[in-house]
Amino acid sequence: MPRLAANLSMLFTEHEFLDRFEAAARAGFEAVEFLFPYAYPAAEIRARLDQFGLKQALFNLWPGDWDKGERGLSISPERREAFANTVEQALVYANALGCPKLHVMAGVPPPELSQATARATYIENLRTAARRAEAAGVLLLIEPLNTRDMPGYFLTDLTQARDIIDEVANAAVKLQFDVYHRQIMRGDLSVALREFWPHVGHIQIAGVPGRHEPDVGEINYPYILDLIDELGYDGYVGCEYRPKAGTVAGLGWAKRYGVAAKGA
C-alpha cells in the first residue's frame, strides 16, 4: 500500500506553517514534505516532527529570488557559487530533519542563455552536488514540470530528465516523477511509469485538471497507485495538491491508503 506524505506547502494552509505539522498528524499522515524550509530554524521544524511523530520525506533546495522569477539556480553559469551555497544549506537542513531526499530545481533560462549552455551547467552542477549529497547519504532529485504551471522552465520532459541523470552518472541523482505534471505534458501514465521506473526516486500526485484532490479529475489514481505498488516503490508518495474545500474535508480518498483522523 502506498505511503502518503502531506505536502505542507499546499495542504493544511488553513493553519500557519509550523502548525501544519500537528494538523497533518491529526489527519493521519505519518510523513510530510514541503517546498522550502529556510524561513524557519531547522531545530524548530525538527521539534515539530518529533513532537507529532512525523517523518520528513522531501524538500527543495532554495530556488533563488522567487518574487523576481527565479525557479532554481542550477542552470545558470553566473550563479554557480550561489548554487553551491544552496546545496550546503539544504544538506544542513536535511541532516537536522532526517530528510533523505532533496529536489534540485533547474530554473527558467533567460533569453540570452542557450539551451546547450543551460544543460551543460546543469549537469556540471548536479555532478558536484551529487558528490556532496552522496557523502551525506542524501538523494538528489530532478523533476520535469509542466509548461502551463511553470512557463519557460528548463526541465519539462521525462526523457530529457533521464538523459541528464544518465550523463551525470551518479546514483545519488534520481527522477522525481510527478504524475500531475506528466499527465498535463504527455499523459500515457502507466507506460511512462514502467519506462522510467529504474530512474524514479520519488513520486508526487494531484488531480488533473485543477491540481485538486487525486479523486477529482481525469486520472484513475486507484489504478496508478496500485501500479506503483506493483513496481515495488517503497518511498513516500507526496500529496502535492490544492484542496478544493478544505484539506480535511477532501481527505476521504486517502482512507483506503491508511490516512484517517486519529480516533476515526
Side-chain angles (χ1 to χ4, degrees):
M1 182 172 67
R3 298 184 298 158
L4 303 180
N7 188 299
L8 299 186
S9 297
M10 291 193 175
L11 301 186
F12 303 103
T13 57
E14 305 90 343
H15 306 277
E16 294 297 324
F17 178 73
L18 289 175
D19 295 330
R20 295 174 197 173
F21 294 85
E22 179 178 8
R26 289 187 179 279
F29 285 99
E30 297 178 358
V32 297
E33 60 178 40
F34 42 69
L35 295 180
F36 313 113
Y38 310 109
Y40 304 91
E44 193 166 359
I45 297 175
R46 181 58 189 256
R48 301 296 174 116
L49 293 169
D50 290 345
Q51 181 179 358
F52 301 111
L54 294 166
K55 300 292 186 183
Q56 184 70 47
L58 170 77
F59 62 87
N60 295 359
L61 270 65
W62 183 69
D65 192 330
W66 193 272
D67 292 338
K68 291 184 178 179
E70 289 187 312
R71 298 294 185 267
L73 306 178
S74 52
I75 60 169
S76 302
E78 72 278 7
R79 305 299 299 278
R80 284 190 177 94
E81 183 177 353
F83 174 73
N85 290 338
T86 72
V87 173
E88 297 305 318
Q89 176 191 42
L91 289 174
V92 169
Y93 270 80
N95 178 65
L97 304 183
C99 182
K101 300 176 184 181
L102 297 171
H103 172 211
V104 182
M105 295 190 74
V108 176
E112 66 273 15
L113 180 61
S114 72
Q115 290 290 303
T117 299
R119 188 180 190 278
T121 305
Y122 195 29
I123 290 170
E124 178 188 339
N125 278 331
L126 285 172
R127 283 176 174 160
T128 302
R131 289 192 290 270
R132 288 288 298 115
E134 187 176 35
V138 172
L139 187 66
L140 299 182
L141 301 159
I142 64 172
E143 177 189 22
L145 305 181
N146 79 75
T147 54
R148 188 166 71 206
D149 286 354
M150 194 71 72
Y153 194 72
F154 176 77
L155 189 64
T156 62
D157 183 76
L158 290 172
T159 300
Q160 177 194 15
R162 178 179 60 190
D163 291 348
I164 288 168
I165 290 168
D166 287 346
E167 193 163 342
V168 172
N170 188 310
V173 181
K174 301 281 276 186
L175 174 66
Q176 188 163 311
F177 191 116
D178 190 306
V179 179
Y180 166 80
H181 290 299
R182 171 66 185 196
Q183 176 68 3
I184 291 172
M185 293 301 291
R186 295 282 296 275
D188 209 12
L189 295 173
S190 59
V191 171
L193 277 165
R194 293 184 186 278
E195 177 182 354
F196 296 99
W197 193 251
H199 291 75
V200 171
H202 189 66
I203 295 171
Q204 292 176 322
I205 60 174
V208 177
R211 206 169 193 173
H212 297 309
E213 284 82 353
D215 62 340
V216 177
E218 64 199 38
I219 300 176
N220 181 359
Y221 268 113
Y223 175 84
I224 293 298
L225 291 171
D226 283 349
L227 175 58
I228 289 167
D229 259 357
E230 177 189 323
L231 291 169
Y233 182 65
D234 61 358
Y236 288 103
V237 174
C239 300
E240 192 183 38
Y241 64 83
R242 300 184 185 93
K244 287 194 73 173
T247 304
V248 173
L251 281 176
W253 70 273
K255 288 183 179 179
R256 68 184 292 176
Y257 304 110
V259 174
K262 301 302 183 185

